[in-house]
Amino acid sequence: MPKPVIEVEKLAKSFGDNQVLKDITEQVNPGEVIVVIGPSGGGKSTFLRCLNLLETPTSGKVAFEGHDLTTLDTKSVNSLREKMGMVFQGFNLFPNMTVLENIKLAPMKVKNTDDASATKRAHELLQRVGLDDHADAFPDSLSGGQAQRVAIARALAMDPEVLLFDEPTSALDPEMVGEVLNVMQELAKEGMTMVVVTHEMGFAKSVGDRIWFMADGYIQENNTPEAFFANPETDRAKDFLSKILM
Amino acid sequence: MKKRVGLLLAIMTAFVMLVMPLGNTTHAQAADNSLEKIQKKGVLVMGTSPDYPPYEFQATVNGKSTVVGMDVQIGKKVAKDLGVKLKIKSMSFDSLLVALQTGKVDMIISGMNPTPARRKNVSFTHTYYQGGYDIVINKTDKAKYKNKDSFGGGTLGAQTGTTQYNAAKSQTKNTTVKGMTSQSDLILALQSHKLDGVAMEKPSAEAYVSNNKQLAAIPSDFNMSSSATSSAIAFRKGSTSLVNKVNKTVDQIKKENLVKKDYLPAAGKYLKTNTVNTSMTHYWKAFLTGIEYTLIITVCSVFFGFIIGIILALARMARGNFFKNLLRWVATAYVEFIRGTPMMVQVMFVYFGLGLFVNLPALTSGIIAISLNSGAYVAEYIRGGINSVDVGQTEAARSLGMSNGKTMRYVILPQALKNIWPSLGNEFITLIKDSSIVSIIGVTELIYQSNIVRSDTYRGVAPIVVIMVLYFILTFTASRILNYFERKMQHA
């Protein structure tokens, strides 16, 4: 059994009186693709954001490669975040920079990579997501699918150990979902460790190694896609699946 | 006699007294070495307010605008008898006493009369000139008015806070007395029939009448004590040795009647050369200097104000531990305080207040004060700009491992600046206009220069029109340039 990349222990998170995450203990192993599914408001996004400390957990432990993020100083958290790329529902590309500059910014400013090698690497990544011809475009001229692929390339530019996806296709027009999922599938094939919050059940089935079904602040089920979709154990999961699969 | 006791002066004097009690007492107790100090320094700095012909005013001498007048002649004689060089520093009359107390000048010769109130704060020499008051009227009214008692039902004007203003108020009946700060404005009001007469000192009245054929002077017949109509030189309190020495010069001036014999006629000559050519183009150099200084002040203040603004904005957004909260509190208090006090007071505070500790030139003081002021406003724009950037931008940058500072610098601020560019541009244009406030401490920017041209030429309106056009050209050009950059930033 390899050492887990991410370990979550008794994680809880409240916003005021609203307890969104109640008690979560789970692990992510290297190379695994975890797909987090569940009803809206079940705490999926909050959970994901706790993994790289965009949200500060109220209690519990989030460890990355053995380091408990909740006890580290800001500087160490910053450097561990480099290793956890994140892709957002709303892309969050920097609108004042070209595609190429978006990708180069963090390597140059955080890792002090020189301009030439950062540019070279950016072009490689853009080729990988099929957008090298858009290197000098500004984000506002891209379609949603293109913007999200650039966002993935930007996250990859920091050579992360893990990629976190927060509903990466939810803001896209249906015909663009495929191009983004394809890129993610490629990454999974190459062995990238990924935690994906999504509503794309097809992706969950075909790409996921494990499904975490989240509802009411707990991970209610943790199973392989085959087992989960064929035989959901909890009523909560049965109810959820019956609603989306018809 | 000029005897203004403006509110600002009172505030500044109070401030000086608050800050200086220690310095003052040790001064008084120490052996008086004022004379020795001046002679060692080799320079005597004379403070004066050159808007009061024929006492002191600006004239173009050899192509350069110079302070001249009978007080300047007296200053020269004093310096010569002390064996030192004379340096003249111009500022508004209100500022003179504070300037003397804070060491910006060594003496005041500015038609100042030695009232008991003033004697408490400064040491006066013997009086060097005994004046009196006239009332200037429109020549067409000459038959109507005889003296102060003829203005029943009418309106008299005088410089605010002066002796003649108080006299006009207390010694007339059924007469409205209107105060204005500048003599040229009063004359203008007289000519446009907003006033029926203007009370002023005899020499000034004579100067106006001889330069303007539509005006005439009548005696005021104010009932005055001689101390209220005489002029003396002021030195810092307790400079006994210096005052005693200068008294000898003053006595000689009086004995030989130098004022009437030499100084006043000489001043009159300058007044004439001044009024030979009163076209505005003749004074283009004065206006050019004004533009130059206005631009220097504005550009420097925008630059430093922007830096201060960014620092303040970030400080106001600091949150977390005790130190950060304290920082936020201080920055918030600063912004509130600056926005809640007039820029004019801030300018005077920097020039005179900080002047107690470091001797800052007027231009530097002006730039500092306006930068500090502008910084408070810019900070609020920037804070708004930062808040207007989507929180997702911060999250994206942080998720890439960028620190808080780098996120701010490379991701948030560039976008914030683009959002607030129009407001910043507005601030820049406001500063071009607001920089005029430093004229009160004698910086030769546009307003100051136009006042000089006005008192030089006895023309009230033309210089105002000229600087109005000049200001508009400056602001309009600036707004065009800003628009150009706004368009360039449009991408994104």
Side-chain angles (χ1 to χ4, degrees), chain A residues 25-27 32-37 204-205 207-214 219-234 237 241:
Chain A
T25 302
E26 281 299 343
Q27 297 177 343
E32 252 189 330
V33 177
I34 307 285
V35 181
V36 184
I37 59 173
K205 260 185 211 168
V207 183
D209 293 317
R210 276 196 287 162
I211 304 287
W212 289 356
F213 175 72
M214 260 188 98
I219 292 183
Q220 312 251 2
E221 292 196 32
N222 171 0
N223 219 330
T224 60
E226 297 79 23
F228 175 75
F229 285 106
N231 295 303
E233 287 162 13
T234 58
L241 285 176

Side-chain angles (χ1 to χ4, degrees), chain A residues 70-127:
Chain A
T70 56
T71 60
L72 291 176
D73 60 276
T74 325
K75 221 174 152 186
S76 316
V77 170
N78 285 344
S79 62
L80 285 178
R81 276 204 189 112
E82 292 173 33
K83 301 183 181 173
M84 279 190 280
M86 190 165 195
V87 175
F88 300 85
Q89 181 178 352
F91 327 135
N92 295 347
L93 293 180
F94 307 134
N96 52 332
M97 302 175 201
T98 63
V99 165
L100 196 70
E101 287 164 349
N102 260 279
I103 298 173
K104 277 160 55 181
L105 181 73
M108 287 177 68
K109 300 303 178 195
V110 179
K111 286 187 165 173
N112 296 318
T113 312
D114 64 274
D115 190 47
S117 20
T119 309
K120 191 166 157 263
R121 174 96 174 106
H123 280 299
E124 282 168 19
L125 289 167
L126 281 172
Q127 271 160 16

Side-chain angles (χ1 to χ4, degrees), chain A residues 49 52 54 74 78 81-82 84-86 88 92-97 105-106 109-110 138 140 154-155 158, chain B residues 390-404 406 409-411 413-415 418 490-492:
Chain A
R49 290 157 62 84
N52 67 350
L54 280 185
T74 325
N78 285 344
R81 276 204 189 112
E82 292 173 33
M84 279 190 280
M86 190 165 195
F88 300 85
N92 295 347
L93 293 180
F94 307 134
N96 52 332
M97 302 175 201
L105 181 73
K109 300 303 178 195
V110 179
F138 279 90
D140 59 3
R154 181 176 69 177
M158 293 300 283
Chain B
D390 178 30
V391 67
Q393 295 288 310
T394 309
E395 292 183 346
R398 299 307 300 272
S399 77
L400 288 165
M402 295 175 81
S403 66
N404 221 338
K406 282 179 177 162
R409 181 162 158 212
Y410 297 114
V411 176
L413 276 183
Q415 297 183 51
K418 191 200 129 234
Q490 210 51 59
H491 215 6

Side-chain angles (χ1 to χ4, degrees), chain B residues 313-385:
Chain B
L314 295 180
R316 281 202 76 173
M317 293 170 52
R319 229 149 280 240
N321 57 31
F322 171 77
F323 175 73
K324 284 180 175 169
N325 287 335
L326 184 74
L327 195 68
R328 180 178 80 239
W329 190 86
V330 169
T332 307
Y334 175 86
V335 169
E336 292 298 335
F337 187 75
I338 292 288
R339 294 202 300 181
T341 50
M343 179 144 54
M344 189 175 177
V345 178
Q346 293 161 9
V347 168
M348 295 190 76
F349 179 83
V350 170
Y351 186 53
F352 297 118
L354 292 188
L356 290 175
F357 309 104
V358 258
N359 196 8
L360 296 170
L363 179 64
T364 316
S365 303
I367 290 173
I368 291 176
I370 295 182
S371 302
L372 289 174
N373 179 287
S374 174
Y377 288 89
V378 170
E380 289 301 278
Y381 293 136
I382 292 180
R383 202 163 64 98

Side-chain angles (χ1 to χ4, degrees), chain B residues 151-276:
Chain B
F151 293 91
T155 308
L156 263 183
Q159 250 180 312
T160 319
T162 55
T163 312
Q164 61 267 35
Y165 177 82
N166 294 337
K169 273 217 129 147
S170 59
Q171 298 185 28
T172 56
K173 273 183 202 139
N174 296 329
T175 308
T176 314
V177 178
K178 208 164 153 50
M180 293 188 188
T181 34
S182 133
Q183 200 110 265
S184 16
D185 286 339
L186 285 165
I187 292 295
L188 204 61
L190 174 69
Q191 288 185 290
S192 53
H193 297 280
K194 292 192 181 67
L195 300 173
D196 300 311
V198 179
M200 63 173 79
E201 282 198 66
K202 254 184 194 141
S204 297
E206 277 157 19
Y208 274 103
V209 171
S210 65
N211 281 294
N212 192 328
K213 291 193 174 63
Q214 275 121 42
L215 299 177
I218 55 169
S220 67
D221 295 340
F222 286 136
N223 189 12
M224 289 288 179
S225 72
S226 72
S227 91
T229 55
S230 58
S231 302
I233 308 173
F235 286 96
R236 258 186 294 284
K237 186 90 182 155
S239 324
T240 324
S241 57
L242 190 56
V243 171
N244 286 343
K245 173 90 177 150
V246 174
N247 269 338
K248 283 184 192 138
T249 306
V250 173
D251 292 344
Q252 189 203 351
I253 289 172
K254 275 213 320 226
K255 204 171 129 207
E256 296 178 19
N257 201 14
L258 288 176
V259 170
K260 286 226 168 85
K261 233 168 59 195
D262 288 349
Y263 300 165
L264 276 178
K269 237 194 264 164
Y270 281 123
L271 277 176
K272 281 216 183 85
T273 55
N274 254 354
T275 45
V276 166

